[in-house]
Every structure is written in C-alpha cells, then in structure tokens.
Amino acid sequence: MQIPHSLSHLFLFSHFFSALFLPHCFHSLTPALNESLVCNVGAIFSGCLYQEYRDSSKKQEVEQRRQCEGTAAQAPALQLQLRSHTRSLSLWQNLPAVQESGLLTHLPQKEVILQEAIFELVTSEASYYKSLELLETHFLRNPSLFSTLSHSDMHFLFSNIEDVIKASERFLMDLEHRIEESILISDVCDIVHHHAANYFSVFITYVINQGYQEKSYRRILQENGPFREIMSQLENHPRVRGLSFTSFLILPFQRITRLKLLVQNILKKVEENSEREMNAVKAHKELEQIVKECNEGVRKMNRTEELIGIEKTLEFKSKSVPVISHSRWLLKKGEVLQMAGPKNTRTLRSKKLYQPIYLFLFNNLLLITKHSSSNEKFQVLDSCSRSMLRTEDMDDQGQMLACVFVLKLLENQEERTVSYMMKTSCMSDKLRWIYALTPNLRTRFLSDSVLIRVLDCPQVQCIQSYSSQEPDELSIEMADVLQVLEKTEDGWILGERLHDGERGWFPCRVVEGILNFELRAQNLRECQRIQLAQGGASRGMRAR
C-alpha cells in the first residue's frame, strides 16, 4: 500500500531505524510498533542533520589518513565513525543485531570493511532525508514565511525541492527494504543505479536553478522586511541547530556529489569481476553523468552571463571580435604590467618602463586591453587565438626578471607575430598566467595526465574547504585528495583532484601533505581500480 506523503515520515524513520538498531528477532515487526520501541528508536535517531554528518565524516577521513601516515599497513576502513560527541551514528559492526548474530567471529575483515562502506551510504541518506524534512516542515510549509512571498518568489527560492524530497523518500524506503532482508547487507548499488537512472534527474533541474535561487534570496532579504524578520526567527530556532537557511538549500547538490563518492568507496572494496562490482560501476557512471550535467548546466548559465557582462565593457579600436559564443568561456582575467622600451639594468628599475594592461583570457581567445580614460571600459589593443600563444619564463635571467615572462602571439589580429614582455605582482601570479596561457607547458611534477596515474607525484589532502575566487582556481572540500602539479614559493598549488580529475589553483594553507609513500600508492591504486573497472564494465555492456 502506498503511504501518503504527509504520513510517511514518521513511519519511515521509526521502521527504518528499528530495522537497523533493534535485535534481528524484531526485524519482522509491523509498522504498528509499540510505544516503547518507537521511543527507543527516536532516542537513537535524535540524530544528526546531514550538514553535521557531512562535516563529521570529512573530518574523520582526514584523521584516518593522518593515522595512516605512521601505520599505512593497518586497515583504515574500520574507523568510519560518524561520531560527534553527543550525536552519533553507529557502525554496522556495533549494531546489536550484528553483534548478537556471531557474524563478526568468522566474517572476513574485507567483508566487514565493505559492510561499513555500504552502511555509511544508507545512514547518510537517512541523515540527508532528515535535513530535507526539516527544510520542508520548518521553512517551506511555514505559513508565516509563505505569507510574505509572492508565488514567483516561492518558486525562485524552493524550485522543485518537493520533487527532490519525494525522490529521496522513495530511495530511502528501498534501502530500508534491502536492510530488512538480512543483517549482512547483500548490496545497495543496484538500488542506487535504479534510482539514479529513473528518478534523480530532479537533482539536475534543482541544481541548475541554484544560481537564480541565490540571487533571489539576496534580493528578497534586501527588499522584503517581513520576510527578513521571519527568516531570522526561523534560523534562530533550536530545531535548526544554528544552521543557516542556505545550508539547507544547497543540500541536494552536496548529496548527489557525496553519493557518487560513497559509491566510489564501495567500488574500491567489492570483489573484482563480481556482480557487486558491476552494480557499483553502473551506479557510479549514472551518478557521474548526473553530477556532470549539474556542473555543466550551472557553468553554462554563469558563463553566458559573464560573457554578456564582459562584452558590454569592451571598446574595439579597429577589428571587432565577437565575444559571446556558446563554445567560449572565461579562464582568467586581470591586470599585468607591460614592459616597453630598452631593457637595460637602469631602465628596468624605472617605473616609466611599465604600462598597466588588462588581459581577458578565454578558452579559445586572448584579448589584450587597457582601461579607457573614463576607467569604466576596456580598449582592446590586440587579440589572438589561444592556440597561437607561446610563453617564456624569464626567472633564470636574474632577480629583477623573477616575475617577468614573455608572451608571444604567433598570429595576432593583424596576422603578425608580436611579443609582449609582462611583469606580474608576484611569482604565483606569473606561474598562473603562464599555465593559463599555455596549458600544455610541462609543470614541475608532470607533463600530462597519463603520467599522473603512474608516477609518485606529491599528494595533499584538504583540511579546510576552499571556494574558488578566480576562474583558474579550484574549489576543494575537506578530505579531498589531490596530486600536486605545481607549487609556488609564495603559497599556491596547482593540483588535480583524484576522484574527478578537475584541475586548478588553491592556497597551500588549506591542505597538508600526504608523506607516506604507501598511502600515496594506495590512493593511486584505488583510482586505477575504478578506471579499470569502469573500462571493463563498458566493454562488457557493449559486448551484450
């Protein structure tokens, strides 16, 4: 029988957590649990919201790697605690049903590790659903808040969140049914794949609308006094535990990306060439596609707005270059100094030698500009296809040229070859411009992405989340593992994130080095395992 949406929450949490935490003999209980059992379950899942789970889980990953720095041979996966002082979710091996079954006395350690990975996916989904439920009941369904908003503003703020909530509820119920089958969880990736393929498209719609959502929220806060007052009251309510409204709005994108990593973690631990591996590969691919479509949708919207804004500021002296194109996006922009005149020791010290210019670098075009007299627009001085750019570092020419590089346009807008000598404010800025202008240039630690899976390049893990401030930077989250491609003396790293291959710059202060050789090798092996499994699965599906 289909449970009405309005009544399903109580049943779902009561029944689901009774299955997880009560002895196995109670697993066949009907939804009509007696009052004492419901209270018991409620006490166990007084529970952490997803924001709290996510923070605790990532901190635990960081601590695991720190412990392994000294003892890389020990199995780290039994330390998947989601504990946070008074609030915690139990390990699978600590469940009364598991301990009383005697399974742990003869179950191979590899299977215990796998059960923990599966169990984390399930419990984190329950935590995520609890946060969504709070978003719905505390904010979306609040009559006072509702009365301050127009229908269109309600839509801008909450988008299709109700569809996302229903998808999560449906997914969690199927996970619950699988848990009830046996205390030894057979698999969950087949369920993940089914839901990702059939129901999770709602995430794409929601995430793509987040740009409008954020702008609308800022606008409404500024213009709507009653809304601002009620939102302040709701955010200060004990139910939300000091969490902001926006932390609830970004949950769907955080969850879909995290779910991909949780499936990836299972894939690393299942038996090779097994059905469970095949299910994990299919689930991972489906989630990867969803995350990719989310990212591309957001980027496309932001890039179009950015190009329109840039084009409005440009003045072409001679040949006009169309900036707006569906295949173009901004990679980097900023001011550098152009060195002009004779380059001898005396003139290099002269400020008159340096003229400020402003570069706009797109994925397929470079515009060299300068501020107009009004300082509100940019006059375009020169342009060149990005593929026709070459750079030369001048750091071996003495200290005065340490922040200088030569930019050569093999064919500029007048079909001539020209060179510009550029000076940046610091070493990291110079290296970032060189890498952006000529990305195929060899970095300090490797020359191409093929070597990244073979050589023992330096690795770091993120210990403090960082949001990119410039187009060439990479947003990273706590516990991300990255290969170091380049490192500057003034505190910047060019890195590639292992789990998705995304590259960009980030400050050294938000990461710490992974020094243990075995741990670095294990990280590479796990990446290779995922790639090989996905390649084999693709060939197998094509053969069918």
Side-chain angles (χ1 to χ4, degrees):
M1 181 179 68
Q2 181 66 39
I3 304 161
H5 184 65
S6 59
L7 301 177
S8 62
H9 303 135
L10 176 61
F11 166 77
L12 190 61
F13 282 108
S14 301
H15 193 41
F16 175 57
F17 281 97
S18 69
L20 289 182
F21 292 97
L22 298 179
H24 191 52
C25 59
F26 292 124
H27 282 197
S28 59
L29 286 173
T30 66
L33 297 169
N34 65 56
E35 187 175 348
S36 64
L37 291 183
V38 173
C39 290
N40 187 14
V41 172
I44 292 168
F45 196 72
S46 57
C48 71
L49 296 171
Y50 186 70
Q51 296 95 318
E52 297 165 325
Y53 148 76
R54 195 167 170 269
D55 288 344
S56 298
S57 180
K58 286 180 175 294
K59 287 175 184 175
Q60 185 63 34
E61 283 184 56
V62 170
E63 289 304 319
Q64 281 176 21
R65 293 194 190 102
R66 285 174 174 169
Q67 292 170 15
C68 291
E69 285 285 354
T71 53
Q74 74 180 36
L78 294 182
Q79 306 299 322
L80 289 170
Q81 288 95 335
L82 308 176
R83 303 180 188 281
S84 177
H85 301 292
T86 57
R87 301 186 187 98
S88 67
L89 291 176
S90 178
L91 292 168
W92 174 82
Q93 62 191 300
N94 290 340
L95 298 180
V98 174
Q99 293 192 337
E100 292 173 16
S101 70
L103 267 175
L104 296 175
T105 59
H106 58 80
L107 203 64
Q109 188 180 19
K110 283 186 176 181
E111 183 61 33
V112 176
I113 290 170
L114 176 58
Q115 290 295 310
E116 297 293 3
I118 293 172
F119 189 67
E120 184 183 4
L121 187 150
V122 177
T123 52
S124 63
E125 185 63 28
S127 176
Y128 165 66
Y129 183 77
K130 182 178 174 65
S131 288
L132 284 184
E133 185 191 35
L134 190 55
L135 171 62
E136 181 183 34
T137 58
H138 190 67
F139 293 103
L140 177 62
R141 303 293 179 205
N142 185 280
S144 299
L145 189 71
F146 185 85
S147 66
T148 67
L149 294 170
S150 65
H151 180 76
S152 59
D153 280 346
M154 278 292 293
H155 177 70
F156 283 141
L157 273 189
F158 294 101
S159 187
N160 65 326
I161 191 63
E162 290 179 283
D163 295 333
V164 173
I165 292 170
K166 288 175 183 175
S168 178
E169 180 177 357
R170 189 186 293 115
F171 179 43
L172 186 57
M173 289 184 74
D174 280 355
L175 292 175
E176 175 217 1
H177 294 150
R178 178 61 55 83
I179 294 286
E180 286 181 329
E181 291 174 4
S182 171
I183 54 175
L184 188 64
I185 310 166
S186 59
D187 196 2
V188 291
C189 289
D190 56 333
I191 297 174
V192 175
H193 174 252
H194 171 72
H195 282 263
N198 294 287
Y199 307 116
F200 284 0
S201 60
V202 294
F203 282 93
I204 300 170
T205 305
Y206 184 86
V207 171
I208 289 176
N209 286 335
Q210 273 191 266
Y212 293 126
Q213 191 181 58
E214 291 167 8
K215 290 175 184 175
S216 297
Y217 182 56
R218 289 195 296 267
R219 173 183 57 79
I220 296 168
L221 273 180
Q222 188 174 1
E223 299 174 356
N224 190 329
F227 172 85
R228 186 168 58 247
E229 184 179 342
I230 292 171
M231 180 56 70
S232 177
Q233 294 171 7
L234 293 175
E235 287 187 322
N236 288 315
H237 195 282
R239 286 185 72 194
V240 299
R241 300 175 186 172
L243 296 167
S244 67
F245 174 58
T246 53
S247 78
F248 288 90
L249 291 181
I250 63 173
L251 284 171
F253 185 55
Q254 289 181 335
R255 181 54 186 171
I256 199 69
T257 52
R258 182 65 179 170
L259 191 58
K260 188 190 89 167
L261 295 181
L262 292 170
V263 169
Q264 199 173 86
N265 193 37
I266 293 171
L267 177 55
K268 294 172 186 175
K269 295 169 174 56
V270 293
E271 315 89 333
E272 292 188 25
N273 303 316
S274 65
E275 185 179 357
R276 289 201 287 194
E277 183 187 65
M278 179 67 74
N279 288 336
V281 167
K282 289 193 292 185
H284 185 266
K285 279 192 169 184
E286 202 68 46
L287 291 170
E288 198 166 43
Q289 183 60 32
I290 292 170
V291 171
K292 182 181 177 182
E293 289 186 37
C294 286
N295 285 330
E296 287 180 350
V298 171
R299 284 172 183 161
K300 185 177 180 181
M301 191 173 297
N302 292 340
R303 286 168 177 173
T304 301
E305 290 181 6
E306 192 170 43
L307 290 178
I308 292 170
I310 290 172
E311 188 169 67
K312 288 178 179 177
T313 68
L314 298 178
E315 292 179 343
F316 290 89
K317 292 180 66 177
S318 55
K319 186 178 179 181
S320 178
V321 178
V323 171
I324 299 174
S325 167
H326 71 278
S327 59
R328 178 170 293 150
W329 60 88
L330 184 71
L331 293 180
K332 189 170 177 62
K333 64 179 180 177
E335 188 172 272
V336 297
L337 297 175
Q338 180 190 355
M339 300 175 68
K343 283 82 175 176
N344 55 48
T345 304
R346 186 168 60 84
T347 58
L348 281 173
R349 293 193 179 96
S350 171
K351 290 184 178 179
K352 294 180 181 178
L353 180 65
Y354 307 109
Q355 300 296 326
I357 60 174
Y358 202 93
L359 304 181
F360 290 94
L361 178 65
F362 304 95
N363 62 307
N364 54 9
L365 176 70
L366 171 69
L367 296 180
I368 299 176
T369 75
K370 70 174 183 179
H371 282 285
S372 64
S373 55
S374 66
N375 222 32
E376 294 177 353
K377 299 226 174 203
F378 296 94
Q379 286 185 353
V380 179
L381 307 175
D382 210 345
S383 64
C384 182
S385 168
R386 187 176 178 225
S387 62
M388 301 298 284
L389 301 175
R390 299 293 183 269
T391 56
E392 180 186 351
D393 198 344
M394 303 293 286
D395 62 353
D396 59 349
Q397 302 294 313
Q399 187 60 36
M400 278 188 294
L401 296 175
C403 294
V404 174
F405 69 96
V406 175
L407 172 62
K408 181 178 284 190
L409 282 56
L410 299 182
E411 186 178 302
N412 73 347
Q413 62 187 17
E414 297 173 352
E415 299 183 354
R416 294 190 298 113
T417 299
V418 294
S419 292
Y420 294 87
M421 187 171 280
M422 309 288 198
K423 184 176 182 180
T424 60
S425 58
C426 58
M427 285 288 290
S428 61
D429 201 24
K430 180 190 73 172
L431 285 174
R432 286 170 65 166
W433 271 115
I434 288 175
Y435 181 77
L437 290 161
T438 47
N440 294 326
L441 197 68
R442 181 182 176 90
T443 65
R444 186 184 309 186
F445 299 110
L446 63 119
S447 60
D448 57 58
S449 60
V450 175
L451 292 177
I452 204 166
R453 304 293 178 243
V454 180
L455 300 178
D456 178 38
C457 298
Q459 292 179 12
V460 293
Q461 71 167 338
C462 178
I463 56 173
Q464 178 187 333
S465 295
Y466 176 75
S467 295
S468 60
Q469 307 298 308
E470 299 289 341
D472 64 334
E473 293 178 9
L474 180 66
S475 293
I476 56 177
E477 295 190 353
M478 184 179 289
D480 281 351
V481 176
L482 305 105
Q483 295 267 57
V484 177
L485 313 183
E486 184 64 82
K487 189 174 182 180
T488 71
E489 294 178 0
D490 53 353
W492 285 86
I493 290 174
L494 173 64
E496 178 175 306
R497 189 163 44 217
L498 284 186
H499 74 74
D500 62 5
E502 290 285 322
R503 289 185 180 187
W505 293 88
F506 48 87
C508 294
R509 61 181 167 78
V510 301
V511 298
E512 64 182 17
I514 299 176
L515 305 179
N516 186 284
F517 176 84
E518 287 300 322
L519 190 54
R520 293 199 304 270
Q522 178 183 318
N523 291 335
L524 292 179
R525 283 195 300 270
E526 288 176 348
C527 265
Q528 244 174 359
R529 165 82 195 277
I530 291 166
Q531 289 176 340
L532 290 172
Q534 287 180 327
S538 296
R539 288 191 296 273
M541 284 186 276
R542 283 197 299 269
R544 288 188 179 89

